[in-house]
Amino acid sequence: GGALLPGALPPRTDCNRRRHYLRKMASDGAVRGLPASLVERASAALLKHVNGSAGGRGADLPGLEAQSFVSLIVALKKMPEAGKNKPKRIPIVHSLWKHTPDLEICLFTKDPSTPVKEALAARPVAGVTKVMAYTKLRKNFPTFATRRELCAQYDMFLTDERIMPMLPKKLGKAFFLKKKQPVPVRLAGGDFAPRLEQARDSTYLFYGAGSSFAVKVGTTAHTAEEVAANIAAAMPAIAAAVPKKWKGIQSVHLKTAESLALPLYVALPSDAADEEEEEGAGAG
């Protein structure tokens, strides 16, 4: 189990209240350790604070200039394996771009790009405004400065999965520092438009250099209910993607780039003790 907001869990000495609290926690929400009611309250409090201090602009103005991403900050008990540049797709209910009518996505393809352009002309995918062949990427963006400009020009990048292995070296640090690594999509084999839409409307887990990472679950233009629904959808997939699943998670916080972090889940000291006992039993 885990404590929701430090101090919310009854002390270990009060076993009956503690047992009742944990049982209620488990039945109150579909996500382990994250009751729906608390997630909704935290989402509402964060959005009210951020949009209130910004004069409500997050909800009233379109485009990412007026919005700020709302993210889950997940801290792990142990450092994950290094070198995981491939983003892990995480399902959400309400697209991050739901309130971004001027969304611009760039799609990298293998050469030639003409078949993909023709397919998208016949069956457009909202938001995909640029299709760029790998040779054009290599020729037109040779320096760090030009690649940084390209990174800033689009909200999101998708790529044909067949050229994904070539992109990290070609794109360099600019995309990875901004967590805008291209998301691989299978373009071979029939109608790929639904796969592009699924990639566009998901969120992603990117491992960084440390033991924590951020997963976007909305923007300040989303409602508290939308953010809470996204958290409920995303958290099981996030837990499944990390070492030791929920047992490997130390804490989960909710924040924007400028706000304080609101704690949603903090692992209890008893969790660590139980884990050490299990490891000792396994070694014995």
Side-chain angles (χ1 to χ4, degrees):
L4 296 161
L5 298 172
L9 187 72
R12 293 178 64 85
T13 51
D14 194 342
C15 296
N16 289 334
R17 281 184 60 218
R18 183 185 176 91
R19 196 177 298 115
H20 173 76
Y21 181 88
L22 291 173
R23 194 178 294 121
K24 184 178 186 301
M25 223 168 50
S27 63
D28 196 17
V31 183
R32 171 185 167 173
L34 297 182
S37 57
L38 181 129
V39 171
E40 288 172 7
R41 290 199 304 273
S43 301
L46 182 68
L47 292 176
K48 182 178 180 181
H49 170 72
V50 172
N51 289 330
S53 61
R57 64 177 185 175
D60 297 335
L61 297 179
L64 287 178
E65 294 298 319
Q67 299 175 28
S68 177
F69 284 112
V70 177
S71 299
L72 289 175
I73 309 300
V74 181
L76 303 179
K77 293 177 182 177
K78 293 184 178 179
M79 188 89 71
E81 294 178 22
K84 293 187 176 180
N85 284 327
K86 184 178 179 181
K88 172 72 176 176
R89 182 175 296 169
I90 304 294
I92 50 177
V93 182
H94 304 282
S95 172
L96 298 176
W97 317 111
K98 181 175 182 178
H99 303 286
T100 310
D102 53 353
L103 173 65
E104 293 196 42
I105 298 172
C106 178
L107 171 63
F108 297 131
T109 71
K110 71 185 208 58
D111 293 279
S113 61
T114 306
V116 175
K117 290 180 178 178
E118 290 176 348
L120 286 173
R123 164 68 160 91
V125 173
V128 179
T129 57
K130 180 69 174 179
V131 176
M132 186 184 304
Y134 179 75
T135 52
K136 185 175 180 181
L137 169 65
R138 187 175 59 188
K139 179 181 177 182
N140 293 358
F141 303 92
T143 66
F144 176 79
T146 54
R147 291 192 292 267
R148 185 173 56 190
E149 289 175 9
L150 174 64
C151 181
Q153 193 173 348
Y154 296 93
D155 300 304
M156 184 180 189
F157 293 86
L158 303 175
T159 183
D160 186 328
E161 65 181 6
R162 291 169 290 188
I163 64 169
M164 181 69 180
M166 298 183 283
L167 291 181
K169 185 176 180 181
K170 183 68 240 169
L171 295 176
K173 292 183 178 180
F175 283 70
F176 298 95
L177 290 174
K178 292 292 185 180
K179 296 292 188 288
K180 281 190 177 182
Q181 295 98 313
V183 171
V185 180
R186 184 168 62 87
L187 298 187
D191 181 16
F192 53 76
R195 295 192 288 272
L196 290 176
E197 291 168 344
Q198 182 188 40
R200 176 198 64 198
D201 294 335
S202 299
T203 191
Y204 295 88
L205 187 165
F206 298 96
Y207 281 111
S211 59
S212 64
F213 55 83
V215 177
K216 296 169 183 171
V217 289
T219 72
T220 50
H222 283 70
T223 66
E225 291 77 16
E226 288 171 341
V227 172
N230 281 352
I231 293 171
M235 205 57 227
I238 293 172
V242 303
K244 295 192 175 182
K245 317 303 181 192
W246 265 102
K247 288 184 178 180
I249 296 177
Q250 177 61 40
S251 64
V252 180
H253 290 74
L254 186 67
K255 75 184 296 293
T256 69
E258 304 298 328
S259 76
L260 294 174
L262 295 180
L264 296 179
Y265 172 91
V266 179
L268 298 168
S270 58
D271 292 340
D274 292 343
E275 200 169 313
E276 288 177 7
E277 287 179 13
E278 287 178 13
E279 290 179 355

